[in-house]
Amino acid sequence: MNCGVIVFPGSNCDLDAYHLVRDVLKEEVTYIDYEERSLQGFDVIILPGGFTYGDYLRSGAIAARTPVMEAVNRFACSGGLVLGICNGFQVLTEAGLLPGALCRNDSLQFRCRQVYVRIENNSLPFTNKASTDQVLMMPVAHGDGSYYAPPEVLQDLEANGQVIFRYVDQRGEAVKAANPNGSCENIAGVSNRAGNVVGLMPHPERAGEAVLGSTDGLVIFESLRGYCKGREVLKSG
Amino acid sequence: MADADNLRPEKAPKIWRKLGLKDFEYEMIVEQLGREPNPVELNMYSVMWSEHCSYKHSRSSLKLFPTGGPRVVQGPGENAGVVDIGDGYGAVFKIESHNHPSAIEPYQGAATGVGGILRDIYTMGAQPIAFLNSLRFGPPNNARSRYLIEGVVAGIGGYGNCVGIPTVGGEVYFEPCYRGNPLVNAMCVGVMPLKRLVLGQACGEGNLVVLAGARTGRDGIHGVTFASEELSDQSEEDRPAVQVGDPFLGKILIDATLEAVEKQLVVGVQDLGGAGLTCALTETASRAGTGLEIDLKMVPLREEGLEPFEILTSESQERMLFIVEPEKLEDLEKIFQHWQLPLSVLGQVSAGKMVTVRHHGEVVAEVPAESVAGGAPAYEPESREPEYIGKLSAFDLSALKPAGDPGQYLLSLLSSPDIASKEWAWQQYDYMVRTSTLEGPGGDAAVLRLRETGKALAVTVDGNSRYTYLDPYLGGMLAVAEATRNLSCCGAEPVGITDCLNFGNPEKPEMFWQFRQAVEGMAEACRVLEAPVVGGNVSFYNEVEDEAIYPTPVVGAVGLLENAKNYCKTGFVRNGDLIYLLGPCEVSFGGSQFLKELYGKVAGRPAGIDLEMEKAVQALLRRLIADGLIVSAHDLAEGGLAVALAESCLAGGRGAAVTLASGLDSVLELFGEGPTRVLISLPPEASDRVLDLARKKRVRMSELGRVDGGDSLTVKCGNALAFKLGLDELKKAYEEVFSWIRT
């Protein structure tokens, strides 16, 4: 699996994603500059967390208009796998690659804590190593994580299996108390219609080593790795 | 005071007084300069000779601190201290106050405090890895205090989260004396390969003087002057003296600066903080023994028409000064262009020791660097023991005879704002970014792994101002002892400390006496505990309308763990483990949380400290943890043994049963406070070995009971039940008090 981690001005979880892929998964990984115009040769593109351009206009809004995003768009349109984490999720919604928007947390405060999410669709390249309804413990760390989409869009997302992660309690129930930011329907992460672009607010890259408190995030990267390997086999076969 | 018009030197005679200089200091300037300073030069002197920059009332006392040691690479005097942590790496750290700005504008005051201390760390060439903070407010029972608390916490998070450096620890206390003058002390820790160390020195005649980062505006003009006087009800008008932070610019300035340092494109780096460009120019030249020639027309401005003195004293944030060899300028420019950051050559390093400032070619100031940066007088202020000391220490603690329900005492202590969980604050900080936080906020110290070496750093900040108020000398010792003990509780060896000394007006003999006593106490503890002071900050004039804060020395401490896998936490985690109290049994209600909460008093004598015993207990702890003999360790602090027991139960989610020896005063034993005491838990099979090691070090160990895995904390005194409280009750008391801040 050959991963690219995009570095926008103000990205700050680029190191964490890079470290996880290189040192924990032992896979290929490269930083990609925000001015880069080609993403040839990559299997997976990660848009990491952070505060791109300070999130000064709206979270992710300015980063969505950098040169590299044109390349990400082309990459996604040709079926490439794109994972947006936290601010990366915000960038993907601002770029129109994912539906909906991330609004201010209902607490009006930044929140950093462990949450539980349930995998709602385990048929994607991002989730296919997880079991149905598997519950993962991962941290969130954001101020603008409240997912919003108009009711008709939410209906479509549910109907098409595009809601991928939902905030739940430890037992897997999608209760209000488990929702750290007031997002619609406890949504923590969604995909595009084709299922090759996924964004989520929690940080799977921070849940990849036991010393950090959880290894639950690994299943996402293991799924991607498995999928990419399968594709290699298909190609060579 | 900060109104630009009033600072226009031609507007008033004896303008130096308006600029915060005394007549005598003005005469010294004339003497050192050999002539009367012109108005621009006078402004430069006034900011650099302010208390904030020149340490004129503290310098002679700070010399008492031990600042050397086998690990010290860089002691006080540079932007931050550097300590050798092995494998060619150094830990770089410093703490600094931003009290006055935060009193006026809590969000920006705190945010720029974080931004300022951050720049001090990467200026040395180090990658910042952690923030900590120490905060003091008035009681959180009124709207004003809540406004300050919410603003400060949001500001710390707002800056730290955005730049992507985790805020991993801190402390928050509440006393009426901080109502008008809150304390905001921010600490930053960085790590670097030692060979990459760069200093703030303008070396090499002909090298270029380069200003990078934000454009210069009118914000923060004379901020240091404002920080060097008492606050008053007119202080709100000083809001223009508070700078506004831009954390995004701060973040890319770190990335660009560290890239420039790594590629060896700069020979000197200095951040622009207090006293702005004036400080950066004169300090770099003075440290290197060189001169500088610059033209202010090259400074990128935010708006037209800034006067030379404004450009020279502006404290606009997110700016760096580089000293660059001419042939490397192009490469440096490339880096900054990529990050879309302004960069401008102001001039060059010259022979001689004068800083010559031009404005469009015309010389507007020509001053000896050494005189401006280091020529301020060092005062030996008058010192007198305040009357309250004798009165309060004579308070008869033995007359207290508390006879209430110890369980209720414990619940009210746990729910006091000082002791209650601080999750309401730290859940607003990203404490995990950079994925190196092994132990985040809430324990005795935070632990961060060092990917490069497999080792880890433990970091903490501590200070108990009630102790220091009642006995500044003892309080100073206790602050150093507690900070280093917290590191040892994790298993880390203290390698150095940085201090933030928050006091009142040093020109008042009683205030200076507090300061001097506290410094002497701290210095003594540092000497015995072998913890060198490698940097810090003094904040005087923390007074509002003649009410001074408690003397508040805050100690930031950094410790080294040889093996990142081998550190200790505070919680009880294994059923059947034995619980012991390590250390002496002397405790007192003097200055205790118990006395404050239950009797509304801050009085009496705090328990004294035997520093040699402190050293022995800490060494023993580190040994026990390194050998894997104990499972948890938790320092006994505010609220004494009972609170520590409750905290260890809550941290591990496990109940315990404890029996105190009968015959003692059980309330005192449960809630009295004394230093050098640590609650540990260990597997029964390790107890012989642990007892043996303790005996060899002559450290007292008392068996208390057992982690029983139940859902309550049971404490007996002899055969009598003192209390039995459910973990849910304890948790509720511990977490409920700040629920207002969550809504």
Side-chain angles (χ1 to χ4, degrees), chain B residues 44-63:
Chain B
M44 295 174 76
Y45 271 104
S46 109
V47 289
M48 289 304 289
W49 285 27
S50 69
E51 183 64 48
H52 184 86
C53 289
S54 72
Y55 293 83
K56 53 194 171 191
H57 287 95
S58 61
R59 234 188 298 159
S60 61
S61 300
L62 298 179
K63 287 188 183 133

Side-chain angles (χ1 to χ4, degrees), chain B residues 479-492:
Chain B
V480 173
E482 181 176 353
T484 51
R485 191 184 319 128
N486 281 336
L487 301 178
S488 295
C489 280
C490 293

Side-chain angles (χ1 to χ4, degrees), chain B residues 220-237:
Chain B
I221 293 194
H222 275 272
V224 292
T225 318
F226 156 66
S228 302
E229 37 182 63
E230 294 172 26
L231 289 165
S232 71
D233 49 6
Q234 268 91 53
S235 293
E236 290 277 338
E237 290 164 21

Side-chain angles (χ1 to χ4, degrees), chain A residues 9-12 15-16 19 33-35 51 53-54 56 109-112 139 141 205-206 209 211-212, chain B residues 161-164 246-248 251-252 338-340 427-435 437-438 449 451 741:
Chain A
S11 292
N12 63 33
L15 168 82
D16 303 345
H19 162 72
D33 189 75
Y34 71 104
E35 290 181 315
F51 286 75
Y53 294 91
Y56 285 158
Q109 291 176 350
F110 190 91
R111 271 294 170 275
C112 180
E205 86 284 16
R206 296 186 187 185
E209 295 169 86
V211 291
L212 300 177
Chain B
N161 298 344
C162 187
V163 295
D246 180 345
F248 168 61
K251 159 70 177 159
I252 53 178
H338 176 253
W339 294 110
Q340 298 171 338
Q427 69 177 354
Q428 298 183 57
Y429 309 144
D430 188 342
Y431 53 88
M432 310 178 203
V433 61
R434 301 186 60 79
T435 48
T437 309
L438 301 180
R449 69 172 166 191
R451 285 208 181 92
I741 215 162

Side-chain angles (χ1 to χ4, degrees), chain B residues 490-548:
Chain B
C490 293
E493 181 199 348
V495 292
I497 70 171
T498 174
D499 58 65
C500 200
L501 306 172
N502 306 276
F503 288 81
N505 180 349
E507 296 163 55
K508 298 178 183 170
E510 290 82 5
M511 295 291 113
F512 186 76
W513 183 85
Q514 291 179 335
F515 173 75
R516 180 75 187 198
Q517 289 282 309
V519 168
E520 285 178 13
M522 293 171 76
E524 176 63 13
C526 287
R527 245 190 316 275
V528 176
L529 300 173
E530 296 173 47
V533 177
V534 297
N537 164 244
V538 181
S539 171
F540 282 133
Y541 302 98
N542 290 289
E543 297 192 20
V544 186
E545 285 153 15
D546 250 18
E547 192 198 4

Side-chain angles (χ1 to χ4, degrees), chain A residues 36-47:
Chain A
E36 186 62 55
R37 286 170 193 277
S38 163
L39 297 176
Q40 244 178 355
F42 290 106
D43 298 311
V44 178
I45 295 296
I46 298 175
L47 281 71

